[in-house]
Amino acid sequence: MEFRIARGELAEAVGRAARALPSRTPVPVLGGLLLTAEAGRLTVSGFDFETMVRVETDAEVTAEGRVLVLGRRLLDICRVVPEGPVSCALEGTRFALEAGGTRFGLSTLPYEEYPALPQAPPAYGGVDAEAFATAVGQVAVAAGRDDTLPVLTGIQLRFDGDEMTLSASDRYRYAVRLLEWKPEARTAGEAGPAEEAGAAGQARLAGEAGATGEVRPTGAAGAAREARPAGEAGEAGAAREAVEVLLPARRLLEAARSLARCGTVRIGLDPAQQAGGGVVGFAGGGTRTVLRRLEGRLPGYGSLFALADAAIAEVDCAALTEAVRRVAVVAEANSPVRLDFSAAEGTLLVRAGYGDDVAAQRLPAVLHGAEEFTVAFNPAYLLDALNSFEGPELRLELLGGGQRALLGGTGAAAGHRHLLMSVKQLV
């Protein structure tokens, strides 16, 4: 095995593949990266049974072959190797790298002990890479971090026609983001097992969606979808049974960010594996990531997001975010940030702290459905939610202390909503 490659391309490929390396593992070979050189291409792969990342890049291959080397050691070398072309070769049991007069040697790992890499699932559709990375980041803040409840550590993707819904919840908050995507075009004869199940499965899923009150599209796009007959889903193959998959939030966020600049992310999955298990693939720009699915599904959010008789407040999102960040510096542990709305004055008073250690800032705001309204939140949870919004204006639906509050964007950002539990104690 022998090849020559630009330093930047090698470092990028190794850096991306290294995201699949486990921090600790009882299986030494899982700490390795698999390098495969063939036909003018270098492929770098990492795998830890839960995530597989494979990166392809151009290389000048003199002798084809493959080698398994310590991943983190190779990553460290790529960070310090001099700029310019890097010559790599397998010399017996040692992998050698040379660039700019500097030479490195790496011991190899036994390839025969390395597990077989998972096969990528069939293509299911595509989505704008940058929009997908943004959407994943917006809902990931609400995912749980307690590994004893793995379902709550995931992000659920629901594919329904030409709409993707991303959602995450840790029981105290629930984030949802709607996103347009393009299903892979398929003819009736190419339908998979899930679609061939017939009208019974379609009716069952439709009933479940109605029972949970899933978020429906808004505006002209939503009206068009609602008005479109089921048999006229279009050439993109949107007339499919809705599919839900639950993926680890941290892994999905890493994958989405690594693909954010590739233009389009191609998503692969097998719709027949709705019960759990299996894998989902994400590919673009020479990088392919395969994630193992989590078992289970998140609870429906429709009834949670229906806040009858709620007071409605509208405020500049960036201004509120900055105000909360400022006043929260005086908040003790578990001390809330309080929001006091006044319809008559058209203002919002943001304040935190007790006794002499207090901070406050007044902002313009609009309140409907009440003359005055006071609500308080955990400052960390509130800031996570506020930072996830991109639009200039924020709409808050408020029920009162200790009850649910729904934060949502307006206009083009209306597809993003974040549910928070407010704090009971207001002093």
Side-chain angles (χ1 to χ4, degrees):
M1 175 188 186
E2 186 174 353
F3 62 91
R4 185 180 175 90
I5 187 173
R7 182 260 181 196
E9 293 182 1
L10 177 64
E12 184 174 2
V14 170
R16 289 189 178 186
R19 292 188 175 98
L21 295 176
S23 55
R24 273 181 267 178
T25 176
V27 184
V29 292
L30 292 184
L33 288 177
L34 179 62
L35 277 62
T36 304
E38 54 186 1
R41 302 286 288 174
L42 172 68
T43 302
V44 186
S45 306
F47 181 48
D48 68 351
F49 290 118
E50 300 299 324
T51 303
M52 187 274 286
V53 180
R54 189 182 72 191
V55 185
E56 293 184 355
T57 187
D58 293 331
E60 183 182 324
V61 179
T62 307
E64 297 185 354
R66 59 191 175 197
V67 63
L68 185 66
V69 299
L70 288 171
R72 300 202 183 280
R73 180 66 56 82
L74 179 60
L75 181 62
D76 289 340
I77 290 174
C78 288
R79 288 170 175 164
V80 300
V81 71
E83 290 291 343
V86 182
S87 298
C88 304
L90 181 59
E91 302 172 346
T93 59
R94 185 178 67 170
F95 182 68
L97 296 89
E98 185 174 0
T102 304
R103 184 176 175 85
F104 299 89
L106 271 176
S107 57
T108 59
L109 299 171
Y111 171 75
E112 60 275 8
E113 297 180 12
Y114 197 64
L117 299 178
Q119 293 296 316
Y124 199 69
V127 64
D128 180 87
E130 187 174 356
F132 181 65
T134 298
V136 172
Q138 288 175 319
V139 301
V141 296
R145 294 166 178 79
D146 184 357
D147 290 333
T148 62
L149 297 170
V151 171
L152 299 181
T153 65
I155 291 177
Q156 186 165 282
L157 307 182
R158 177 182 173 88
F159 304 94
D160 188 5
D162 54 5
E163 180 181 272
M164 179 195 306
T165 304
L166 301 88
S167 54
S169 174
D170 64 358
R171 293 183 298 180
Y172 304 103
R173 44 192 173 168
Y174 204 137
V176 173
R177 175 71 154 82
L178 303 184
L179 189 64
E180 290 185 1
W181 87 306
K182 296 180 179 179
E184 191 79 6
R186 290 193 291 176
T187 65
E190 297 173 62
E195 282 117 324
E196 293 173 352
Q202 191 81 337
R204 174 178 55 80
L205 282 174
E208 289 176 356
T212 56
E214 305 291 11
V215 174
R216 308 307 302 163
T218 58
R225 263 195 64 191
E226 295 299 329
R228 182 173 54 187
E232 298 178 1
E235 296 179 359
R240 301 182 182 188
E241 181 178 339
V243 174
E244 289 181 349
V245 296
L246 185 65
L247 300 170
R250 181 178 63 82
R251 308 264 188 167
L252 180 58
L253 183 60
E254 289 176 353
R257 285 175 173 171
S258 69
L259 296 170
R261 294 180 296 173
C262 73
T264 299
V265 173
R266 299 182 303 278
I267 300 177
L269 62 89
D270 183 353
Q273 297 177 327
Q274 288 222 51
V279 295
V280 178
F282 302 89
T287 299
R288 181 184 296 277
T289 299
V290 176
L291 302 179
R292 190 166 301 281
R293 292 168 56 172
L294 297 173
E295 297 283 347
R297 68 186 300 273
L298 294 179
Y301 54 81
S303 59
L304 294 174
F305 281 29
L307 276 58
D309 302 322
I312 308 297
E314 296 176 356
V315 64
D316 182 273
C317 186
L320 177 57
T321 303
E322 190 59 32
V324 171
R325 183 178 290 111
R326 284 196 185 106
V327 304
V329 298
V330 302
E332 300 291 339
N334 300 319
S335 176
V337 168
R338 176 169 167 168
L339 309 180
D340 296 322
F341 293 92
S342 172
E345 297 179 5
T347 61
L348 161 63
L349 180 63
V350 183
R351 51 178 172 159
Y354 299 103
D356 293 331
D357 298 321
V358 293
Q361 182 174 344
R362 192 175 296 276
L363 306 172
V366 177
L367 179 65
H368 305 284
E371 290 300 317
E372 294 182 345
F373 205 96
T374 297
V375 67
F377 299 98
N378 175 301
Y381 283 3
L382 180 57
L383 277 174
D384 281 345
L386 293 174
N387 284 323
S388 71
F389 285 91
E390 291 188 316
E393 291 190 4
L394 185 70
R395 172 187 168 96
L396 300 92
E397 299 181 37
L398 309 168
L399 292 178
Q403 300 187 62
R404 306 187 307 278
L406 184 62
L407 284 64
T410 61
H416 176 206
R417 295 195 279 175
H418 194 114
L419 189 77
L420 283 176
M421 289 299 297
S422 60
V423 179
K424 290 183 179 179
Q425 183 179 3
L426 299 174
V427 294

